Amino acid sequence: MGKVAAVLKVMPQSPDIDLDELKEDLEDSLPEGAKLRGFEQEEVAFGLVALLSTVVVPDDAGGTEAVEDAFTNVEGVESVQVQETGRL
């Protein structure tokens, strides 16, 4: 079975969210089998900064869905959107 790399755009609920703390919480929420490859920051508007997280997951049924669900349930996260996917 192969692996899939995905870039997920995580929008915080407000510009006041501590991004370093949010990164730690996102990393802690990863489901089994998923690996975090890093974060980038993208300025959105009015001081709001999105986190672009790169994750690697097994290439099986569901794909990035488990990671999306885990990230959505982290306190301080407004939304999660898949930006890119590709096989490794």
Side-chain angles (χ1 to χ4, degrees), residues 5 8-9 16 19 21 34 37-38 41 56 58:
L8 301 170
K9 184 175 187 174
D16 300 325
L19 294 180
E21 199 172 299
R37 294 292 184 213
Q41 296 184 4
V56 176

Side-chain angles (χ1 to χ4, degrees), residues 5-75:
V7 176
L8 301 170
K9 184 175 187 174
V10 179
M11 292 296 297
Q13 289 177 342
S14 80
D16 300 325
I17 299 288
D18 180 341
L19 294 180
D20 290 328
E21 199 172 299
L22 183 58
K23 288 177 189 178
E24 288 178 20
D25 292 344
L26 291 170
E27 190 168 2
D28 291 342
S29 76
L30 283 172
E32 188 175 324
K35 294 190 183 340
L36 182 65
R37 294 292 184 213
F39 288 103
E40 291 184 28
Q41 296 184 4
E42 177 182 271
E43 293 198 25
V44 180
F46 307 108
L48 187 61
V49 177
L51 293 176
L52 300 175
S53 61
T54 303
V55 295
V56 176
V57 295
D59 185 17
D60 58 6
T64 62
E65 192 172 312
V67 177
E68 292 173 68
D69 290 343
F71 281 7
T72 300
N73 290 322
V74 170
E75 186 175 341

